[in-house]
Coordinates of all heavy atoms in Angstrom, one line a residue:
F61 N -21.0 -43.5 -3.4 CA -20.3 -43.4 -2.1 C -20.9 -42.3 -1.3 O -21.1 -41.2 -1.8 CB -18.8 -43.2 -2.4 CG -18.1 -44.4 -3.0 CD1 -17.8 -44.5 -4.3 CD2 -17.8 -45.5 -2.2 CE1 -17.2 -45.6 -4.9 CE2 -17.2 -46.6 -2.7 CZ -16.9 -46.6 -4.1
I62 N -21.1 -42.6 0.0 CA -21.8 -41.7 0.9 C -20.9 -41.4 2.0 O -20.3 -42.2 2.7 CB -23.1 -42.4 1.5 CG1 -23.9 -43.1 0.4 CG2 -23.9 -41.3 2.3 CD1 -24.5 -42.2 -0.6
N63 N -20.7 -40.1 2.3 CA -19.9 -39.7 3.5 C -20.6 -39.9 4.8 O -21.7 -39.5 5.0 CB -19.6 -38.2 3.4 CG -18.9 -37.6 4.6 OD1 -18.0 -38.2 5.1 ND2 -19.4 -36.5 5.1
V64 N -19.9 -40.7 5.7 CA -20.5 -40.8 7.1 C -19.4 -40.3 8.1 O -19.5 -40.6 9.2 CB -20.8 -42.3 7.4 CG1 -21.9 -42.8 6.5 CG2 -19.6 -43.2 7.2
Q65 N -18.5 -39.5 7.6 CA -17.4 -38.9 8.4 C -18.1 -37.8 9.2 O -18.6 -36.8 8.6 CB -16.3 -38.4 7.5 CG -15.2 -37.7 8.2 CD -14.3 -38.7 8.9 OE1 -14.0 -39.8 8.4 NE2 -13.9 -38.4 10.2
Y66 N -18.0 -37.8 10.5 CA -18.8 -36.8 11.3 C -18.1 -35.5 11.6 O -18.7 -34.7 12.3 CB -19.3 -37.5 12.5 CG -18.3 -38.1 13.5 CD1 -17.6 -37.3 14.3 CD2 -18.1 -39.4 13.5 CE1 -16.6 -37.8 15.2 CE2 -17.2 -40.0 14.4 CZ -16.4 -39.2 15.2 OH -15.5 -39.7 16.1
D67 N -16.9 -35.3 11.2 CA -16.3 -34.0 11.4 C -16.4 -33.1 10.2 O -17.0 -33.5 9.2 CB -14.8 -34.2 11.8 CG -13.9 -34.7 10.7 OD1 -14.5 -35.1 9.7 OD2 -12.7 -34.8 10.8
A68 N -15.9 -31.9 10.3 CA -16.1 -30.9 9.2 C -15.2 -31.3 8.1 O -14.0 -31.1 8.1 CB -15.8 -29.5 9.7
C69 N -15.8 -31.9 7.0 CA -14.9 -32.3 5.9 C -15.5 -31.9 4.6 O -15.1 -32.4 3.5 CB -14.8 -33.9 5.9 SG -16.4 -34.7 5.8
C70 N -16.4 -30.9 4.6 CA -17.1 -30.5 3.3 C -16.0 -30.0 2.3 O -16.1 -30.3 1.2 CB -18.1 -29.4 3.6 SG -19.6 -30.0 4.5
Q71 N -15.1 -29.1 2.8 CA -14.2 -28.5 1.9 C -13.2 -29.6 1.4 O -12.8 -29.6 0.2 CB -13.4 -27.4 2.6 CG -12.4 -26.7 1.7 CD -13.1 -26.1 0.5 OE1 -14.1 -25.4 0.6 NE2 -12.6 -26.4 -0.7
E72 N -12.9 -30.6 2.2 CA -12.0 -31.7 1.8 C -12.6 -32.5 0.7 O -12.0 -32.8 -0.3 CB -11.7 -32.6 3.0 CG -10.7 -33.7 2.6 CD -10.4 -34.6 3.8 OE1 -11.1 -34.5 4.9 OE2 -9.6 -35.5 3.7
L73 N -13.9 -32.7 0.8 CA -14.7 -33.5 -0.2 C -14.8 -32.7 -1.5 O -14.6 -33.3 -2.6 CB -16.1 -33.8 0.3 CG -16.1 -34.8 1.5 CD1 -17.6 -35.0 1.9 CD2 -15.5 -36.2 1.1
V74 N -15.0 -31.4 -1.4 CA -15.0 -30.6 -2.7 C -13.7 -30.6 -3.4 O -13.6 -30.8 -4.6 CB -15.5 -29.1 -2.3 CG1 -15.3 -28.2 -3.5 CG2 -16.9 -29.1 -1.8
S75 N -12.6 -30.4 -2.6 CA -11.3 -30.4 -3.2 C -10.9 -31.7 -3.8 O -10.3 -31.8 -4.9 CB -10.2 -30.0 -2.1 OG -10.5 -28.7 -1.6
F76 N -11.3 -32.8 -3.1 CA -11.0 -34.1 -3.6 C -11.8 -34.4 -4.9 O -11.2 -34.9 -5.8 CB -11.5 -35.2 -2.5 CG -11.1 -36.6 -2.8 CD1 -9.9 -37.1 -2.6 CD2 -12.1 -37.4 -3.3 CE1 -9.5 -38.4 -2.9 CE2 -11.7 -38.8 -3.6 CZ -10.5 -39.2 -3.4
S77 N -13.0 -34.0 -5.0 CA -13.8 -34.1 -6.2 C -13.2 -33.3 -7.4 O -13.1 -33.8 -8.5 CB -15.2 -33.7 -6.0 OG -16.0 -33.8 -7.1
D78 N -12.8 -32.1 -7.1 CA -12.2 -31.2 -8.1 C -10.9 -31.8 -8.6 O -10.6 -31.8 -9.8 CB -11.9 -29.8 -7.6 CG -13.2 -29.1 -7.3 OD1 -14.3 -29.5 -7.8 OD2 -13.2 -28.1 -6.6
K79 N -10.1 -32.5 -7.7 CA -8.8 -33.0 -8.1 C -8.9 -34.3 -8.8 O -8.1 -34.5 -9.8 CB -7.9 -33.1 -6.9 CG -6.5 -33.5 -7.2 CD -5.6 -33.5 -5.9 CE -4.2 -33.8 -6.2 NZ -3.3 -33.8 -5.0
Y80 N -9.8 -35.2 -8.4 CA -9.8 -36.6 -8.9 C -11.0 -36.9 -9.7 O -11.1 -38.0 -10.2 CB -9.6 -37.5 -7.7 CG -8.3 -37.4 -7.0 CD1 -8.2 -36.8 -5.7 CD2 -7.1 -37.8 -7.6 CE1 -7.0 -36.7 -5.0 CE2 -5.9 -37.7 -6.9 CZ -5.9 -37.1 -5.6 OH -4.7 -36.9 -5.0
G81 N -12.0 -36.0 -9.7 CA -13.2 -36.3 -10.4 C -14.1 -37.4 -9.7 O -14.9 -38.1 -10.4
V82 N -13.9 -37.6 -8.5 CA -14.7 -38.6 -7.7 C -15.7 -38.0 -6.9 O -15.4 -37.0 -6.1 CB -13.7 -39.5 -6.8 CG1 -14.5 -40.4 -5.9 CG2 -12.7 -40.3 -7.7
K83 N -17.0 -38.4 -7.0 CA -18.1 -37.9 -6.2 C -18.3 -38.7 -5.0 O -18.6 -39.9 -5.1 CB -19.3 -37.9 -7.1 CG -20.6 -37.4 -6.4 CD -20.6 -35.9 -6.0 CE -21.9 -35.5 -5.5 NZ -21.9 -34.1 -5.1
I84 N -18.3 -38.0 -3.8 CA -18.7 -38.6 -2.6 C -19.9 -37.8 -2.1 O -19.8 -36.6 -1.8 CB -17.6 -38.6 -1.5 CG1 -16.3 -39.4 -2.0 CG2 -18.0 -39.2 -0.2 CD1 -15.1 -39.3 -1.1
H85 N -21.0 -38.5 -2.0 CA -22.3 -37.7 -1.7 C -22.2 -37.3 -0.2 O -21.9 -38.2 0.7 CB -23.5 -38.6 -2.0 CG -23.6 -39.0 -3.4 ND1 -24.3 -38.1 -4.3 CD2 -23.2 -40.0 -4.1 CE1 -24.2 -38.7 -5.5 NE2 -23.6 -39.9 -5.4
N86 N -22.6 -36.1 0.0 CA -22.5 -35.6 1.4 C -23.8 -34.9 1.7 O -24.1 -33.8 1.2 CB -21.3 -34.6 1.5 CG -21.1 -34.2 2.9 OD1 -21.3 -34.9 3.9 ND2 -20.6 -32.9 3.1
F87 N -24.6 -35.4 2.6 CA -25.9 -34.9 2.9 C -25.8 -33.9 4.0 O -25.7 -34.2 5.2 CB -26.9 -36.0 3.3 CG -27.2 -37.0 2.2 CD1 -26.6 -38.2 2.1 CD2 -28.1 -36.6 1.2 CE1 -26.8 -39.1 1.1 CE2 -28.4 -37.5 0.2 CZ -27.8 -38.7 0.1

């Protein structure tokens, strides 16, 4: 899964991964 969300969501993705163990790749 690749992030194409164009606003500032880096911290949201980190928190989401820590909580649910789901990796969303963010370049």
Side-chain angles (χ1 to χ4, degrees):
F61 290 101
I62 315 296
N63 172 47
V64 298
Q65 179 74 43
Y66 57 79
D67 63 354
C69 59
C70 291
Q71 187 54 53
E72 181 181 8
L73 293 176
V74 171
S75 299
F76 187 80
S77 178
D78 291 343
K79 184 174 182 180
Y80 298 106
V82 171
K83 175 68 174 178
I84 301 173
H85 298 274
N86 189 31
F87 296 100

